[in-house]
Amino acid sequence: MSLNILGYDVGGTKISTVVGNDSGEILSNVRMPTVKHLGKKRLIEEMITMGDAALKKAHVEKPDLIGIIFAGPVDRNRGVVIASPNIFGLSNFNIVEPIRDYYRTDTFLENDAQAAAIAERLFGSGRNVDNFVYMTLSTGIGGGIFINGKLYRGAHGMAGEIGHNVIMVNGPTCGCGRRGCLEALAGGKAIARRVIENLRAVRDSDFFSKLRPNEITAEKVFEGKKQGDMFSQLILEETIYYLAVGLVNIINTLDPELVIIGGGISKAGKDLFDPLNDAVKEEFKSMYRPFKIVPGLENGSDLAAISVPLYTEMELHGEGEKQY
């Protein structure tokens, strides 16, 4: 008999709620834009309303397990959001307790990037790979690491913050406060910022001169390259170089079999992965070793939310991983 799982993804641009099962099938989903001033009480009210709606759509009366993934640092053992970069007023907030009490169901919390790595382990390219790194390449850059078949969380549960490795000393200031982080150079927000900062190039570009500053995104840069815009080409070449430097640092440190890249920017497909593979090979210099860089799951964010309780239950009960 399959398990029905209610999953929440509380992210920077949207809050999504899904109902899925332990075979990785998504039965329903409900989404709403993230509101920065939502607050604790309203957030829980919205989550419960969305959860009830998703369960009704899936014809599920009560979930067997619940997963919550959050875009920001969390204390998974206490069910607490440590800091909230996207929704104000949620720092040191126990997000698990009210959801668990309402549904009377075991509820588990995880950082969104680590949850995506778990989804890859259970349902994606990491299924039969014991040592891999997952990178989410979106507005920011995060990650999750599997070592010898187990998610590596570190001493404080905060391992995998690969976006905050400095790759340019005295580079642009990152949201974390340091300068020259990978995220501050190659995250989606950083790509858009680098375009906007080059005002002369923007004015001279047929593609970008038609866009308002708030319309410039990383996705638009890839679109500009496809249309032959040379400025887009230069911005992407820089971005690929920064990503290659960051990835080679990670690969040299951890020696994974595989690097999986997900997140919105990964949807650029061959326009991202072909030059990135070439750049990484070049950046290895004499330290080259076999490696693969592959795209993440198409529906990774939905599967991440339902994967967290499945994987946590295995950890709690000391069970070997099932092959989903």
Side-chain angles (χ1 to χ4, degrees):
M1 185 175 176
S2 65
L3 295 172
N4 291 312
I5 304 151
L6 176 63
Y8 291 99
D9 180 357
V10 183
T13 57
K14 72 179 186 311
I15 299 171
S16 66
T17 309
V18 300
V19 176
N21 60 32
D22 54 3
S23 297
E25 181 183 7
I26 301 299
L27 307 175
S28 70
N29 62 64
V30 176
R31 306 183 195 279
M32 66 168 274
T34 301
V35 179
K36 286 187 178 292
H37 296 279
L38 204 58
K40 297 176 183 177
K41 186 172 182 291
R42 280 282 311 284
L43 173 63
I44 296 300
E45 288 172 353
E46 291 288 355
M47 288 175 69
I48 288 171
T49 299
M50 294 171 71
D52 287 347
L55 289 166
K56 186 176 181 180
K57 281 176 70 174
H59 306 291
V60 173
E61 186 175 336
K62 185 178 185 295
D64 297 302
L65 294 167
I66 298 173
I68 302 172
I69 65 176
F70 191 84
V74 302
D75 183 335
R76 57 185 291 276
N77 294 322
R78 295 190 297 134
V80 169
V81 171
I82 296 171
S84 176
N86 303 305
I87 302 175
F88 301 138
L90 298 191
S91 297
N92 300 312
F93 172 50
N94 192 316
I95 196 172
V96 164
E97 191 173 295
I99 298 297
R100 181 187 61 214
D101 291 351
Y102 177 80
Y103 288 107
R104 298 187 179 186
T105 302
D106 287 343
T107 303
F108 304 98
L109 175 67
E110 190 66 82
N111 165 266
D112 60 340
Q114 291 193 333
I118 291 170
E120 294 292 342
R121 176 65 175 173
L122 297 185
F123 301 111
S125 298
R127 266 181 294 189
N128 298 307
V129 180
D130 284 344
N131 296 281
F132 71 88
V133 173
Y134 173 84
M135 171 190 278
T136 179
L137 189 53
S138 190
T139 305
I141 295 177
I145 301 163
F146 268 80
I147 297 176
N148 297 333
K150 293 184 178 181
L151 180 66
Y152 180 71
R153 291 193 172 92
H156 306 97
M158 296 178 71
E161 291 288 353
I162 57 183
H164 298 294
N165 286 325
V166 171
I167 62 166
M168 180 188 288
V169 176
N170 295 324
T173 302
C174 181
C176 74
R178 302 180 79 199
R179 298 186 64 178
C181 289
L182 181 61
E183 177 171 301
L185 290 159
K189 189 175 179 180
I191 294 170
R193 188 206 70 244
R194 286 181 16 242
V195 172
I196 294 165
E197 286 175 350
N198 287 273
L199 289 175
R200 179 178 291 181
V202 168
R203 283 195 295 267
D204 292 344
S205 164
D206 289 339
F207 179 79
F208 282 110
S209 61
K210 298 170 186 173
L211 299 176
R212 298 187 185 92
N214 65 347
E215 294 175 325
I216 296 174
T217 63
E219 288 73 20
K220 288 290 185 184
V221 179
F222 279 98
E223 185 181 327
K225 177 181 177 291
K226 284 186 176 179
Q227 293 187 24
D229 180 71
M230 288 304 298
F231 181 44
S232 299
Q233 174 73 31
L234 289 171
I235 290 289
L236 287 180
E237 285 178 1
E238 274 188 350
T239 301
I240 295 295
Y241 171 71
Y242 295 141
L243 287 171
V245 171
L247 283 173
V248 170
N249 288 344
I250 293 161
I251 294 168
N252 280 340
T253 303
L254 297 173
D255 192 26
E257 303 164 60
L258 186 67
V259 174
I260 304 170
I261 299 180
I265 296 176
S266 71
K267 291 178 172 41
K270 288 174 67 67
D271 287 338
L272 171 68
F273 286 93
D274 286 356
L276 183 57
N277 270 287
D278 291 342
V280 169
K281 285 177 184 175
E282 172 62 27
E283 189 61 26
F284 265 125
K285 309 300 181 187
S286 65
M287 295 291 289
Y288 182 81
R289 81 286 309 274
F291 73 96
K292 287 183 182 177
I293 301 174
V294 300
L297 288 157
E298 280 286 328
N299 59 340
S301 60
D302 288 344
L303 287 171
I306 67 168
S307 296
V308 166
L310 289 173
Y311 188 79
T312 309
E313 284 278 282
M314 292 175 202
E315 288 184 309
L316 289 173
H317 297 106
E319 299 173 14
E321 288 182 21
K322 299 175 186 177
Q323 292 301 308
Y324 289 97

